[in-house]
Amino acid sequence: NDIFWFWFEVLINILEASVYVYVLNGALGCKYSGKRKYIFSAALIIFIYVEITAVNLTHFIPWITSDIIQVGACFIYGILCLNGGMFKKLLVSLINVLLLQSAVSTVASFISFFSGHSLGEMIEKENAIRLLTIILIHIVQIYVSVILVKLFQRVRKIQIQEWILILSNFIMADIS
């Protein structure tokens, strides 16, 4: 049982980190190709994996701090590897993390409400509800990430006022 949960967590955390990189590369396009692209992408995946794992294991780092660290890592990756201007790199980094984290809180809250289990129980206990919750969260994250990439690839040039509205909406969703 412990071995299952260990490997399940490893795979899920790698998947979550990979989704972040997929959105960044898909939305803005990588400056590099070949080995360089894969090395930079792998470095970000490893960093986010370690950060997520550390938060999950210790429960010492507040989630908002984790989100800020992830946004910072995505933005630095954007500066080093992605096409587009600085503002767009920052915005994609913010939207990427906030939207995918919103999927986590929405799905977890939904399942908590209908199952009668508290969020704390769902995080701590290794049971079928937790397994279902984690799987559904990541299905939603993958779905949202594909939509997000398509939106960024097809969107017209959005005005600064529209970005501020979009960004403030995501921040308020993350805070609440």
Side-chain angles (χ1 to χ4, degrees), residues 5-85:
W5 284 103
F6 172 81
W7 287 108
F8 179 72
E9 291 288 339
V10 167
L11 292 173
I12 286 298
N13 291 348
I14 290 171
L15 174 65
E16 186 167 337
S18 299
V19 169
Y20 284 122
V21 173
Y22 165 76
V23 171
L24 293 168
N25 287 338
L28 295 174
C30 189
K31 294 179 193 177
Y32 308 112
S33 60
K35 287 182 183 179
R36 227 181 201 183
K37 177 182 178 179
Y38 295 114
I39 289 170
F40 279 116
S41 295
L44 182 60
I45 288 169
I46 291 167
F47 177 82
I48 292 176
Y49 166 79
V50 169
E51 192 272 337
I52 291 169
T53 302
V55 170
N56 289 343
L57 289 176
T58 64
H59 301 289
F60 183 69
I61 301 171
W63 287 109
I64 190 73
T65 304
S66 175
D67 291 350
I68 292 168
I69 291 168
Q70 290 173 11
V71 168
C74 290
F75 183 58
I76 291 168
Y77 175 80
I79 291 170
L80 296 174
C81 302
L82 300 177
N83 299 313

Side-chain angles (χ1 to χ4, degrees), residues 124-143:
E124 296 295 325
K125 292 186 178 177
E126 296 173 344
N127 57 26
I129 292 292
R130 182 167 188 260
L131 182 67
L132 173 69
T133 302
I134 291 171
I135 290 170
L136 286 176
I137 284 170
H138 287 84
I139 289 170
V140 170
Q141 282 185 326
I142 291 167
Y143 182 73

